[in-house]
Amino acid sequence: MKVLIMTAVEAEREAVIRGLGASDGFEVRLAGVGPAGAAAATAAELARSHYDLVISAGIGGGFPGIADIGSLVVASDIIAADLGAESPEGFVSVEELGFGSSRISVKYDLSIRWLDLLKYAGLAVHYGPVLTLSTVTGTAETAEELSQRISGAAAEAMEGFGVAEAARQLGIPIMELRAISNLVGPRQRDLWRIDKALLALEQACSLLPEVLKC
Ligand SMILES: O=C(O)c1cccc(C(=O)CC[C@H]2O[C@@H](n3cnc4c(=O)[nH]cnc43)[C@H](O)[C@@H]2O)c1
């Protein structure tokens, strides 16, 4: 099996590579920050080479009370949370507008296997929807609106849906993993624990060869 792992930035890429060690069958490439660049970078890589599975991996924000700093979130769904329209009555989804879907399903069996192996390894991990947004949430109000609107929202990041859409259009299964560096809510950049998140990302990726051994 050949697996493509897309990270936004080089520090995440290095953490993934450290975790994978000398394992064969993985390519780890940069997606850039944001869903548009991530979709384009993923599509370009998928045009260059054949892959059986695509994974969007990196750090992310955790929803308070669900995913703490230093923990992991394995995506149950990958959701473009800001794809739609605002209205005086509230957010109107792309589904309600009749323009397609804001939700991409993950490769369920492998996601559950990764979740189980992470739990077995003693790591703090949650399974739930991971949101993709072009703008990092920076207020308690937006965090609350997202949690109310998207049932079970566990984490947010900026690339998952872009990576996933490129894979989906080619019929390639997709997964997403986020290591939590900060809580979703009022912006306090000095409280981000990128070091903790990168360590968790590395630990999670060290289990990937075992996840795919079936
Ligand atoms: O400054 C560093 O050393 C550093 C190392 C690794 C990654 C970063 C980033 O800033 C990556 C940006 C990346 O992080 C995701 N992210 C993290 N928290 C959130 C959030 O609360 N909401 C949305 N996205 C988040 C996102 O995917 C960015 O691409 C810096």
Side-chain angles (χ1 to χ4, degrees):
M1 178 179 270
K2 193 160 170 212
V3 180
L4 173 63
I5 303 179
M6 299 299 291
T7 69
V9 301
E10 184 59 30
E12 295 168 319
R13 183 173 172 272
E14 286 167 9
V16 171
I17 289 171
R18 278 196 302 277
L20 292 172
S23 311
D24 287 331
F26 296 92
E27 291 292 340
V28 191
R29 299 271 191 249
L30 286 180
V33 172
T42 305
E45 183 56 29
L46 294 177
R48 259 194 295 273
S49 190
H50 169 84
Y51 290 96
D52 304 294
L53 176 68
V54 175
I55 302 175
S56 173
I59 67 171
F63 280 86
I66 296 186
D68 287 336
I69 289 174
S71 72
L72 294 155
V73 175
V74 176
S76 61
D77 295 275
I78 300 171
I79 297 174
D82 53 7
L83 191 56
E86 274 191 317
S87 84
E89 290 74 41
F91 183 82
V92 186
S93 70
V94 75
E95 284 86 351
E96 292 168 273
L97 293 170
F99 294 139
S101 178
S102 59
R103 192 174 282 253
I104 294 178
S105 298
V106 297
K107 175 85 175 135
Y108 177 75
D109 53 346
L110 292 181
S111 297
I112 294 296
R113 190 166 155 74
W114 203 359
L115 175 74
D116 288 345
L117 287 170
L118 289 163
K119 282 185 184 164
Y120 189 71
L123 296 169
V125 59
H126 184 87
Y127 181 69
V130 175
L131 318 188
T132 303
L133 294 144
S134 294
T135 304
V136 175
T137 298
T139 66
E141 291 71 26
T142 305
E144 184 57 26
E145 189 274 327
L146 289 169
S147 335
Q148 293 288 332
R149 177 156 60 81
I150 300 159
S151 172
E156 69 165 45
M158 301 174 76
E159 295 78 30
F161 193 84
V163 172
E165 180 60 14
R168 190 195 66 77
Q169 290 196 13
L170 294 171
I172 303 170
I174 173 84
M175 294 160 69
E176 182 170 5
L177 175 99
R178 290 290 153 182
I180 304 305
S181 54
N182 58 283
L183 294 180
V184 178
R187 182 168 173 80
Q188 287 175 288
R189 184 62 174 76
D190 46 324
L191 296 185
W192 284 35
R193 291 298 309 271
I194 289 173
D195 53 342
K196 274 190 153 191
L198 292 176
L199 179 61
L201 180 62
E202 177 183 334
Q203 289 170 328
C205 289
S206 74
L207 297 174
L208 262 180
E210 184 67 22
V211 172
L212 303 176
K213 214 187 278 172
C214 53

